[in-house]
Every structure is written in structure tokens, then in C-alpha cells.
Amino acid sequence: MKNGENYNSSRRSFVKGIAASLLLVPFLQFCTDKIAVLMIRLSGTKHLLGHRLWIKDFPEPTSQIQTSYLIVGGGISGLSAARQLTKRGISDFILVELEDHLGGNSSNGENQYSKYPLGAHYLPLPNFQDKELLHFLEEEKIIIGYDSKGLPLFDELQLTFAPDERLFYKNSWQEGVVPKEGNTAAEDAELKTFFRQMDFFRSAKGQDGKYLFDIPLRLSSADAATRALDEITMKEWFEQNNFKSAPLFNYIDYCCKDDFGLGIEYVSAWAGIHYFAGRKQDASSDKKDSVLTWPEGNARLAAHLKKYTKDKALKNHLVYELKIEKNKAVAKTFDNHKKTSVTIIADKVIMATPQFVNQYIMKDRKEFTKEFHYTPWLLATLVVSDLADNFSFPLSWDNIIYGSKGLGYVYDQHQSVSQLQTKKVITYYYSFSGPDLKKTRKEIYKKKTEYWKQLVFDDLKMAHPDIESVTEEMNVFVLGHGMISPVPGFIFGEAKKQASKNIDKRIYFAHTDLSGISIFEEAFHHGINIVNQILDDTTLDS
């Protein structure tokens, strides 16, 4: 996801985590008679299997596997840990994953016209000081060299093509996602003031010499006055700074929902400002805020990491109990394919799984896990015969509709070098922001497929009145636990600290919810850092 925006340049963010349950609702929408043929299947982190985790309805293990290292969870953190183990010369490890594929929230689907993301769909250019990430991108030929100033040269075919962003505002499409054309002078002045403040936060450092806001978050300054922003909402910060502009409020609300699931009324002000200030825009000579993207989204990055798990990944496996016995970590694991259980005995375990899952696997974790808030999400991929526009600005990679309930849509074929498409494939996003996420989660599971179909259509009609008649296929994904959401007091709070602590130097934890912000960089570094910590602990103990 991106961190913010200059008033004269565009910027957009999306990171959606994988859910505790993922409901896939594909259907065909026929043009004139509007008869919908519906199919429903459970996918993602499997809902029924997840229910069994809560009630512990599994057979006792009948076999054993022994390994030095066990990684639980095949999302980016788990895959990054596998890469780091390999880099450190360790090959004796196993990765187990509930799904039949690896990647977590960086997964994708595909139809006859295009691949499309099932979660995170791009990576902003990293900060120049993030040498670990730059090195990974260089390994995978995303960075193809360095210029005379030592700045990375990115493969242009993997950078988002122009036009990259547009906004439907006051009945017309305009370039970028910040409202520009049609504002009052006072509204424009507030936008400029806001972005000047974000420029300050982007470059400012605390007395400890660290940036006030940085990526990964652990590099950020311990400056007390800045950290105090984590105790108030972004809306309170907005009001304390005497902002009143509706376009600015709407834009910040959109950014908060897009990065954190929760809107301006509920998200921490520290997190809200970090969205704009964490990324330094210093990895290219033109200082532009560009992004790396692919039709399948960040599944491309996951694919680069998967090679480190070759012949070491057990998919369709769920760890349902984890204990320390006789100085070993013992994981009871259900093989959902064979319908049998196996005991995996490891010297060390890396739990690259979210805390709402961990609380059902290990004892005494529910007390602080209740402080972790996960926002539900909806994604819908549509195949359309056409997208009629008013020609004020052409179809772009990212398309936002001002005042809509959702967060707009991306054009999944935008990166195709063949821009003439017989059908267009777009993916729409919606976050269920609100004050009671647990209640919201219960409510969304009660809704029928017709409800989700109409929600998507009604929102898109604001910019595309004929969307129903031109849609030929739709896949709707409802994610119950879409991503960690940094409510006030969480990022620097006690619950996150407690959840991060290892257990007897046998069980370690690595997941973006331990950062409080769900972005690729955090997951990538969690995997690296946890392996380094384990090896450091092992060295000290030997």
C-alpha cells in the first residue's frame, strides 16, 4: 500500500489480509432477463475447518514427523521466514498451510480473460534504506540495475502503466484520487495545508535520530509526543488541526479504510499519519510515488517466495494444538485431505498466523488477543462487456468513486501490453468499517448472495449507471477477518507486546498483526527478523 500523496501527484493504497473465513459467490448475470445462476463454495481460510478448530473436533494423531523448524502459516510472513532460513543455510524445516495454496492475502484467481487479485494487489516503491527488500526485488529481476546515483532501476513493465488513477467527483472523472476540479478556494487551501503537514511528518526525526514514521514500524522514533497520536482517532486529529473541508475529510477517510479497514472515525491518528509519512519517496530520482503491480496482484511476489518451500510445504494441513513437551514443540496437525492427524515435533516453531487463530491453538492467549481488531472486507471481480465513461478521463488502473460506500475498483488488465480486450475485468473493494466489528462479522454471514450482488451494483452505479446490463460474471469474496485494524492505543499498547513474546524460546510469532498495520513490507520483515532472532537466541544458549 502507499503511504500518502502530494497534492500534485496521485497515490492509492490497498492491503487486505486473509480472513478467518472467505465466502466465494460466483454468478453469471444475464443481460436482459437478469436471471442469476448462483454457485456458493467456501474457500480461503476454510470456514468449516475453522469451526472445527474452535471445538477441537479432530482425530488423534496416528503418525509423527520430526523437524528442526516448523513454520505455521503460508502467507508472506511464513514464506519470508522460509526464505530467510534458506539464506542462513538451514534446510531442515517444514511449512504447514491450511489452504491448498500458499500466499495468504497475496493470492489470486483467474478467468479466461485475466488473472485478478484475491487480496493485496501492489507494492509501492520501497524506502531506499530498506536494503533487505531492495535486495529481494533485485533477486527477482524487479529491480534490473542501479543508476549513477546508486538508485534502483525498476522494470518498467512491472511499474503501473499510465493512466494510473482517477476519481469520479461531481459527475465527472478527473486524474488522481485527490479531489481537485470543482473545489472551493477554501477546500483547496485545506488540502494544500494538509499535504504540507504530511511532508513535514515524512521527513521529521525524533531526538533519537529516527524518522517519526518509518517502515518497518519498528524503525520509527520513540518520540513521546508523536506516539501520543496513537491515543486519539484520526478524526480527532483532523478536528484538532481545525480542518473542516468535506473533500479532505472524505479523502482521509478513504485512505484510512483502504489501508486499515477502519475509517477516519475509528483508526489511530498515528496510523493515519503513517499512511502518508512512512514512505519516503526516495527510491527513484524523480521522487515519484509509483507502485509495482501485476494482474494477479501480490500473488506475483508470493510466487517468488514460494520457491524456498519446494518439497517442504504441507498444504491442507491445520495445526490445532501446540504445546511444549520435554523441551520440544509438539504440534498436533490435521491433514484435511486424508482426514487424519499427525504430530509434528520441532525444535522451534514460527507461528506466522494471526492472533485470532493462535488463541485457539495455544492456551492463555485470549486475554490479550481480544484487543486485536480485524475488519471484514468484500472483494468483487466483475467481467464486463464495456465500461461506458463520460470521456472526461480514461479508464485507469485505480478508479475511485467519491462518496460511494466502497473503495472503487482496479482494472485488472491494466498491465497488459495488449490494451485491446474483448472483455474487461475489474475488482471492486469494500471495507466494513464500524464501531463493533464482531457484531458486523456476525451480520455479514447472515446475508444472502443477492444482497452482495446488489450492494456491488448499487455502489458502482454512481459512476456506471449501466453496470448491471454490461456485467457478464461476478465473483464476490466476503472476508470475515480481512486485516488488522489499528484502533487508538493498539500500535504501542501492551496487548501487541505480549502477543509478540516468544514462549520458552521454542515458539515464536511473526505476523503483520504484531505490527498493527497489514502491509507487504511488515510481513516480509517479520519473517526475516523472527528467523534472525531464533538463531541469535540459539547462539546465546549454546
Side-chain angles (χ1 to χ4, degrees), residues 332-344:
K332 291 184 178 181
T333 308
F334 179 67
D335 182 338
N336 194 42
H337 179 68
K338 296 180 179 179
K339 307 302 179 185
T340 60
S341 293
V342 58
T343 298
I344 302 178

Side-chain angles (χ1 to χ4, degrees), residues 200-369:
F200 165 78
F201 282 124
R202 185 177 298 113
S203 59
K205 294 183 178 181
Q207 291 186 350
D208 53 9
K210 297 180 178 181
Y211 284 114
L212 297 181
F213 301 88
D214 209 343
I215 297 173
L217 268 68
R218 63 182 180 82
L219 299 180
S220 299
S221 174
D223 179 76
T226 304
R227 287 195 170 191
L229 292 169
D230 190 45
E231 300 298 326
I232 63 173
T233 67
M234 193 62 182
K235 180 182 179 182
E236 289 174 311
W237 179 88
F238 181 91
E239 293 171 342
Q240 289 176 9
N241 283 267
N242 298 314
F243 289 120
K244 298 179 177 62
S245 161
L248 176 59
F249 185 94
N250 183 280
Y251 171 67
I252 298 174
D253 186 53
Y254 154 78
C255 292
C256 289
K257 288 178 180 177
D258 201 39
D259 247 21
F260 316 121
L262 293 178
I264 189 173
E265 295 180 89
Y266 311 110
V267 76
S268 150
W270 193 95
I273 295 171
H274 181 274
Y275 173 94
F276 299 94
R279 293 197 169 88
K280 307 308 175 186
Q281 303 174 6
D282 58 357
S284 62
S285 57
D286 57 13
K287 304 295 182 182
K288 286 186 178 179
D289 184 30
S290 189
V291 303
L292 296 156
T293 190
W294 310 268
E296 67 270 38
N298 286 7
R300 177 74 65 91
L301 296 172
H304 290 311
L305 292 168
K306 287 176 188 177
K307 63 188 176 188
Y308 296 99
T309 67
K310 185 179 180 181
D311 300 324
K312 298 179 183 297
L314 298 177
K315 291 173 273 192
N316 288 298
H317 279 65
L318 169 67
V319 172
Y320 62 86
E321 184 180 290
L322 180 60
K323 296 180 179 179
I324 297 175
E325 297 179 357
K326 298 179 180 179
N327 212 29
K328 294 281 187 178
V330 180
K332 291 184 178 181
T333 308
F334 179 67
D335 182 338
N336 194 42
H337 179 68
K338 296 180 179 179
K339 307 302 179 185
T340 60
S341 293
V342 58
T343 298
I344 302 178
I345 301 174
D347 295 325
K348 310 284 185 181
V349 174
I350 297 172
M351 295 297 293
T353 42
Q355 309 316 307
F356 70 83
V357 172
N358 292 344
Q359 66 180 339
Y360 295 105
I361 300 174
M362 293 167 285
K363 290 183 177 180
D364 304 323
R365 299 194 69 80
K366 292 187 177 181
E367 183 60 29
F368 49 79
T369 298

Side-chain angles (χ1 to χ4, degrees), residues 92-255:
D92 183 18
F93 66 87
I94 295 172
L95 183 147
V96 298
E97 165 59 39
L98 170 64
E99 281 299 322
D100 59 4
H101 64 276
L102 304 178
N105 71 321
S106 295
S107 300
N108 74 283
E110 185 173 4
N111 57 36
Q112 62 179 312
Y113 305 107
S114 179
K115 293 180 180 178
Y116 53 86
L118 295 180
H121 68 272
Y122 71 84
L123 175 66
L125 300 190
N127 292 341
F128 186 65
Q129 56 82 22
D130 193 348
K131 303 305 181 186
E132 289 273 13
L133 183 51
L134 291 176
H135 183 60
F136 167 66
L137 298 179
E138 185 179 0
E139 286 179 343
E140 305 306 332
K141 309 261 187 305
I142 297 171
I143 292 176
I144 56 176
Y146 291 84
D147 66 15
S148 59
K149 297 179 181 178
L151 295 173
L153 299 171
F154 295 90
D155 178 5
E156 292 187 359
L157 293 180
Q158 299 184 69
L159 290 168
T160 183
F161 297 163
D164 59 350
E165 296 170 321
R166 66 175 183 170
L167 173 71
F168 190 76
Y169 181 55
K170 296 190 175 182
N171 298 315
S172 180
W173 288 105
Q174 57 181 258
E175 184 178 9
V177 296
V178 179
K180 295 184 180 70
E181 301 171 14
N183 297 333
T184 66
E187 290 168 342
D188 279 337
E190 282 203 10
L191 283 163
K192 290 177 180 178
T193 298
F194 172 76
F195 285 118
R196 279 198 299 269
Q197 286 181 292
M198 296 305 105
D199 287 341
F200 165 78
F201 282 124
R202 185 177 298 113
S203 59
K205 294 183 178 181
Q207 291 186 350
D208 53 9
K210 297 180 178 181
Y211 284 114
L212 297 181
F213 301 88
D214 209 343
I215 297 173
L217 268 68
R218 63 182 180 82
L219 299 180
S220 299
S221 174
D223 179 76
T226 304
R227 287 195 170 191
L229 292 169
D230 190 45
E231 300 298 326
I232 63 173
T233 67
M234 193 62 182
K235 180 182 179 182
E236 289 174 311
W237 179 88
F238 181 91
E239 293 171 342
Q240 289 176 9
N241 283 267
N242 298 314
F243 289 120
K244 298 179 177 62
S245 161
L248 176 59
F249 185 94
N250 183 280
Y251 171 67
I252 298 174
D253 186 53
Y254 154 78
C255 292

